Amino acid sequence: MMKTLIFEPLIPLTLWASLALGAVALLVWYGRDARLRLAPRRLLGVMSLMALGVALPLLILLNPLWMERLPPPEGKPLLTILVDSSASMATPDGEHGKTRYQTAVEAAGALSQKLQDRFEIDVQSFAETVSPADPTQMASRSPQGVHTDLATALELNLHEDRPQGQAIALLSDGIHNAGSERRVLEAAQLASAMSAPIFTQLVGGAAEVRDLAVEVRSPQELAFVGQRIPIRVLLQSRGLTGATAKIELREGDKVVESRQAIIGVGQRQEVDFSVAHDESGLYRYEVHVELIANEATLSNNQCLCLLRVVDEPIRVLLVEGNPYWDTKFLVRTLAADPSIELVSVVRLAENRFLERTLHRAAPGATGPAAATPDANTGAAAITQTANVAGAAPAEPASQPSAAAPASRRETWQIAPSGGAILSDAKTLAGFQVVVLGRDADVYLGDDALAELRRWVTRDGGSLVCFRGAPTAQISDRLRQFMPVQFSAGRESRFRMKLTDSGRDLNWIPEADEGSTDALSQLPSLATHSVASGAQPHAIVWAVGESLGAKSSTPVVSATAYGAGRVLVIEGAGMWRWAFLAPQFQKQEQIYGALWQSLIRWLVSNVGLLPTQRWSLRSDKTRFSTTETASATLLVRESALDKGVPAIELTGGNLEQPQRLSVVP
């Protein structure tokens, strides 16, 4: 073992040197002044003690350390060689007509031979998944991977228990197309934190690659019986400018609808299909794009979408402390969605609350309805049947369709109090989403907060604060729900900007390169409170950039709370997004699309509908050959007495169905 003396100064060296020079100067001055007053021997003793008193603090400030070099752990460091085996690696643009994959395999073999004496070599091939590979047998294979997932390849080959050290050599054409590029950056940051260097070798030349790819923005959709909803497909192209692509939506062997798209320069285009069903159930759709000659890969020319159709509405409760334009336009937007049954409670004055219910339209119901008593409240309420303001007009009678929005039955009443609506467990159990406006103090008593907390955590309800802090003073009980902490501030204006996580949700129609520009053209929002920061477990989907300032704060944040979710949207004045000037007509759809996507996201994967006893949901729509297919079964607690249903897996590749019995 070898020991070495090193110094790690506690203060900057320049400051230490200044102190040392000052101390020496003072000692010299004192010595010259005292030599006439002290005997030489005494002067020497005094000066020695003073020099020692100065030197010891200076030495401590240098922080001397004895470093003892320990022997390295036994074994060689690990070198993982990752070879891209996705279909794009089959492009023959290497020397002498070699494909990119052949070039990478040869480089991996040469690297293994050269470094096998110094490193423990581990060769892996990757596309959408990672698998071990033998360099001597890789040349006989052909690259056929659907996606290039660089992030997963790096994450799975970073080992915490490698004291000898580790490094990664990445051989790829560099096209990451499996999710957000942010994941690649996070994997690289993880490697840096683990002191695992990544050496990259880009393979491939300047040959033009021709490729078409389709991807469904939302692989699992939720719809109401008779409701016509869009299936949004993203078409990506490379090297095919000016060509025409034919895209088909298929249900089994039946072509439901087809579209033609002219491919632009480096564009990603969105193609919408429209579907509707008269019966509840799970429907499987496939999107196919017609093959192009000399296409680099055919594996990304199709994708899958699962549509779950339910025969009961999404019930939303909206409570507001005072009438605002934001509330009026939000009610209008939610009323335009036939899958939503809305109850809104607005405080008009002291002891005067307007409770308005937009009921689910009975299929085929037409004509006005007479005044009827409200069965829920027992009070006389005026009932009217009409197309709710903001709803899409019905189709002509000559073209009857179950997807045409039928007339809604609307009931309303004036109540003397609204504080009990959130404190009643039976009332809350009938809603999937509760939306809180501003000045909601009158609704949020101690009993209401306790019941609201139980509803979110146990029943899987979703709480939305759609204009920032719902009360002027956030109580400790309410603060537990919030994904952000609020503090008082002056009124300020800002514009919303999506984060990487927000863009991944694809809630806004232009959720690609143009999404940020689209939001910047919308009117600014106002806030009276400041979100001082997101909670550690919260996800921020959008930030607000203050006008004239460089700072940004969270304005759309969400968090999982028990079995449910809590979401906060900061900012007043969003109603102007639905009331734009003609030159911004393209952005006018953003307001409706945002709320429609948000409501469906809240109810699609959390909790059960009020009449559901159980629900089986696939965790993903696509699994690779090395993954275990998984699904989630939700069972209502009150239904456990009747037993849990068995789960059956069927498919064309199975010799016989697999039946599973589960225990909650």
Side-chain angles (χ1 to χ4, degrees), residues 31-112:
R32 294 183 61 181
D33 183 69
R35 65 181 180 176
L36 300 176
R37 294 182 286 104
L38 298 176
R41 181 175 295 181
R42 177 169 294 188
L43 177 63
L44 179 62
V46 169
M47 293 296 295
S48 299
L49 291 174
M50 292 179 67
L52 182 63
V54 171
L56 284 176
L58 290 174
L59 182 62
I60 293 174
L61 289 175
L62 282 176
N63 192 24
L65 298 173
W66 279 105
M67 296 293 293
E68 183 176 322
R69 191 176 300 276
L70 299 176
E74 296 182 359
K76 302 176 182 178
L78 173 65
L79 174 62
T80 303
I81 303 176
L82 296 174
V83 179
D84 189 349
S85 61
S86 61
S88 61
M89 294 288 287
T91 306
D93 57 357
E95 295 182 358
H96 310 296
K98 293 180 181 178
T99 64
R100 298 175 180 180
Y101 180 71
Q102 291 172 338
T103 303
V105 169
E106 291 179 1
L111 201 60
S112 300

Side-chain angles (χ1 to χ4, degrees), residues 8 40 78 120 176 187 197 216 289 347 404 614 632:
E8 293 185 0
L78 173 65
E120 178 185 340
H176 174 79
V216 179
V289 62
R347 183 190 183 203
W614 51 67
T632 300

Side-chain angles (χ1 to χ4, degrees), residues 75-260:
K76 302 176 182 178
L78 173 65
L79 174 62
T80 303
I81 303 176
L82 296 174
V83 179
D84 189 349
S85 61
S86 61
S88 61
M89 294 288 287
T91 306
D93 57 357
E95 295 182 358
H96 310 296
K98 293 180 181 178
T99 64
R100 298 175 180 180
Y101 180 71
Q102 291 172 338
T103 303
V105 169
E106 291 179 1
L111 201 60
S112 300
Q113 290 292 330
K114 183 178 180 180
L115 300 177
Q116 61 181 352
D117 294 335
R118 296 169 49 195
F119 293 89
E120 178 185 340
I121 305 296
D122 181 21
V123 181
Q124 306 260 356
S125 65
F126 74 94
E128 63 269 18
T129 58
V130 184
S131 59
D134 186 349
T136 60
Q137 299 178 1
M138 292 177 66
S140 60
R141 302 177 183 176
S142 58
Q144 297 179 348
V146 177
H147 295 100
T148 304
D149 194 345
L150 295 177
T152 300
L154 295 175
E155 291 170 354
L156 294 182
N157 285 283
L158 292 172
H159 308 283
E160 297 182 359
D161 55 345
R162 292 297 303 186
Q164 301 90 346
Q166 58 184 319
I168 294 177
L170 180 63
L171 308 175
S172 172
D173 57 6
I175 305 174
H176 174 79
N177 55 12
S180 172
E181 295 178 358
R182 184 183 72 256
R183 295 179 54 236
V184 182
L185 178 60
E186 292 173 350
Q189 291 172 340
L190 177 61
S192 176
M194 299 175 66
S195 300
I198 301 174
F199 303 94
T200 60
Q201 177 62 53
L202 185 65
V203 294
E208 184 180 34
V209 177
R210 297 163 57 89
D211 186 44
L212 277 178
V214 287
E215 177 185 354
V216 179
R217 285 199 179 275
S218 181
Q220 299 193 62
E221 283 282 3
L222 178 72
F224 177 66
V225 166
Q227 180 190 12
R228 186 165 293 276
I229 70 164
I231 295 180
R232 294 189 169 93
V233 179
L234 185 65
L235 173 66
Q236 304 181 69
S237 63
R238 297 182 62 210
L240 295 169
T241 304
T244 301
K246 181 181 179 182
I247 309 171
E248 293 181 343
L249 179 68
R250 302 177 184 176
E251 185 179 5
D253 297 331
K254 175 186 175 183
V255 177
V256 178
E257 198 174 355
S258 63
R259 291 276 190 272
Q260 297 281 347

Side-chain angles (χ1 to χ4, degrees), residues 551-621:
S551 60
S552 60
T553 56
V555 295
V556 181
S557 310
T559 183
Y561 194 80
R565 290 169 173 164
V566 180
L567 185 136
V568 172
I569 302 178
E570 180 63 53
M574 192 182 289
W575 66 272
R576 295 184 180 90
W577 291 13
F579 196 67
L580 297 176
Q583 61 266 33
F584 300 118
Q585 185 176 3
K586 187 176 182 180
Q587 279 75 36
E588 199 168 38
Q589 59 179 319
I590 290 180
Y591 183 80
L594 175 66
W595 281 106
Q596 185 185 58
S597 301
L598 186 149
I599 295 296
R600 273 167 174 73
W601 178 83
L602 288 173
V603 301
S604 60
N605 295 309
V606 174
L608 297 165
L609 297 175
T611 60
Q612 281 186 305
R613 289 188 296 169
W614 51 67
S615 175
L616 180 65
R617 300 167 187 172
S618 174
D619 293 340
K620 295 196 302 183
T621 58

